[in-house]
Amino acid sequence: MNTPLAELLRRMPKAELHVHIEGTLEPELIFKLARRNGVTLPYANEAALRAAYAFTNLQSFLDLYYAGASVLLKEQDFYDMAWAYFERAQADGVVRAELFFDPQTHTVRGVPMGTVIEGLSRACADAQTKLGISADLILCFLRHLSEEDAFATLEAALPWRKHFIGVGLDSSEVGHPPEKFARVFARCRELGLHLVAHAGEEGPPAYVWSALDVLKVERIDHGVQSIHDPALMQRLADSRMPLTVCPLSNLKLCVFADLKQHNLRRMLDAAVCVTINSDDPAYFGGYLLDNYLQTFEALQLDAGHARTLAANSLTASFAPEADKRRWLKALDACVDAG
Ligand code: ADE
Ligand code: ZN
């Protein structure tokens, strides 16, 4: 790619709206935390663990992702993981980050909810004061577990209500449609939480419809399968419903055989509010800027697309409107400067 475009992609202010903080655990940090906490891993070293990152679908990845998270036990572990992400995000020009976290992955191992949320929340506060990154947390329910479990998780997290801005839905998609979580999402809505859900990553367009109409989400995470349903595409475009698309994730989980076949450009051409995100960057071979660079290269995108994608990410964020206006102005100045 030409250097000025690559430099624009790095410099322009952008938001990351779809990153699982447990998916930013690099093998080096996994082993460091394992040593610190006396956890034994079924891999000899970092290279052996990395060599296992050959995924065939979402489930083959999730099995490793949950195993990797088993080294997280103390408040400082959660802080260190999030801080490592923020340092990378700053280098990539991220001004706003909304981090997903999976409390059930930790509470099932006996880690208290407060340990998880306080460690992550302290890192978010430091991201603002030390790096100038605005950051918030979104609590995700694991959809392969029951709605009853999701309700219990929400209840356990409510003492820390001011530390998270919304809820999401992640984990194994197929066989676990959004409507399974209709009641808990309705409760979260009453509580004034923002609502998002993974839908249409591997699952059918019907899951995107029910995320919209039953869960009443404000953004769709992934949503790339929507392309198979013209009426849904029209709905997404007309409503400016943001999709948090994760190109390198889609590639590594075999949703698309090749980045050149990714439908992100077709979605943009259809006036869908697409954003670019990293999902689980430690596992998928690239943080936010890598996702931009590789997608721009593969799909032959230009500076106009860069402006649109960054503006979409800032507009679709749950940051205060005054911050969004300031970032959008800075984005225009950045693109116009060339
Ligand atoms: N949890 C972490 N990454 C995920 C993904 N890509 N899809 C569903 N759940 C996830
Ligand atoms: Zn995800």
Side-chain angles (χ1 to χ4, degrees):
M1 176 189 308
N2 72 65
T3 316
L5 181 56
E7 190 47 29
L8 172 65
L9 294 176
R10 188 187 63 75
R11 270 198 349 247
M12 64 182 189
K14 45 201 174 291
E16 169 128 84
L17 306 178
H18 185 160
V19 57
H20 301 263
I21 199 60
E22 294 90 348
T24 68
L25 259 185
E26 293 286 343
E28 291 69 24
L29 188 53
I30 291 180
F31 273 84
K32 182 177 163 187
L33 296 178
R35 282 191 294 275
R36 195 156 97 185
N37 290 329
V39 174
T40 307
L41 294 167
Y43 297 92
N45 52 40
E46 289 84 341
L49 175 56
R50 221 181 273 280
Y53 293 179
F55 311 116
T56 50
N57 57 22
L58 174 58
Q59 193 60 50
S60 65
F61 153 71
L62 289 172
D63 294 342
L64 257 163
Y65 162 85
Y66 293 128
S70 70
V71 299
L72 296 160
L73 294 178
K74 307 273 168 42
E75 197 249 25
Q76 189 64 39
D77 305 339
F78 290 91
Y79 178 93
D80 290 348
M81 170 174 68
W83 187 253
Y85 164 73
F86 285 129
E87 287 190 317
R88 288 178 180 265
Q90 189 194 39
D92 283 0
V94 172
V95 296
R96 167 77 181 167
E98 299 181 4
L99 311 185
F100 292 148
F101 70 108
D102 288 341
Q104 288 153 296
T105 303
H106 313 299
T107 53
V108 74
R109 298 179 290 110
V111 179
M113 182 67 81
T115 299
V116 179
I117 299 185
E118 284 170 20
L120 296 176
S121 178
R122 187 160 61 85
C124 289
D126 281 355
Q128 179 69 72
T129 55
K130 298 183 179 163
L131 303 175
I133 297 177
S134 159
D136 278 303
L137 298 173
I138 296 178
L139 180 159
C140 285
F141 301 119
L142 298 182
R143 69 200 306 158
H144 67 275
L145 301 178
S146 66
E147 186 179 44
E148 197 185 358
D149 211 310
F151 264 116
T153 302
L154 175 64
E155 205 55 45
L158 282 181
W160 291 272
R161 166 70 183 85
K162 69 172 192 294
H163 294 290
F164 56 99
I165 59 166
V167 297
L169 187 63
D170 65 2
S171 192
S172 322
E173 184 182 12
V174 174
H176 302 284
E179 49 270 34
K180 179 178 165 185
F181 296 90
R183 291 174 318 140
V184 74
F185 267 65
R187 176 73 189 123
C188 291
R189 197 156 172 254
E190 283 171 6
L191 289 166
L193 288 157
H194 286 293
L195 307 178
V196 299
H198 284 54
E201 178 182 14
E202 290 182 339
Y207 285 20
V208 179
W209 283 109
S210 57
L212 296 172
D213 292 334
V214 180
L215 301 188
K216 304 191 187 305
V217 296
E218 297 159 78
R219 296 195 301 245
I220 295 286
D221 296 314
H222 293 293
V224 291
Q225 302 302 333
S226 306
I227 200 113
H228 302 298
D229 181 338
L232 176 57
M233 288 290 283
Q234 197 61 53
R235 161 86 179 268
L236 294 172
D238 290 348
S239 61
R240 296 296 295 157
M241 175 60 57
L243 299 193
T244 63
V245 175
C246 306
L248 289 179
S249 164
N250 296 152
L251 180 66
K252 292 291 151 62
L253 301 187
C254 307
V255 175
F256 297 94
D258 191 298
L259 218 43
K260 288 192 170 67
Q261 289 167 26
H262 199 288
N263 62 21
L264 181 140
R265 187 173 181 145
R266 278 181 283 152
M267 293 264 197
L268 277 178
D269 291 344
V272 175
C273 181
V274 175
T275 66
I276 289 185
N277 306 272
S278 71
D279 207 7
D280 301 284
Y283 292 88
F284 301 148
Y287 285 76
L288 187 61
L289 180 58
D290 299 312
N291 272 273
Y292 272 88
L293 289 169
Q294 293 190 42
T295 305
F296 271 63
E297 182 78 52
L299 302 180
Q300 294 292 293
L301 303 179
D302 60 23
H305 297 108
R307 188 199 300 261
T308 300
L309 286 161
N312 287 351
S313 76
L314 297 167
T315 309
S317 81
F318 298 137
E321 292 302 322
D323 288 341
K324 294 193 200 183
R325 279 195 295 275
R326 186 165 43 82
W327 294 324
L328 286 165
K329 246 177 109 178
L331 170 63
D332 279 341
C334 190
V335 179
D336 293 342

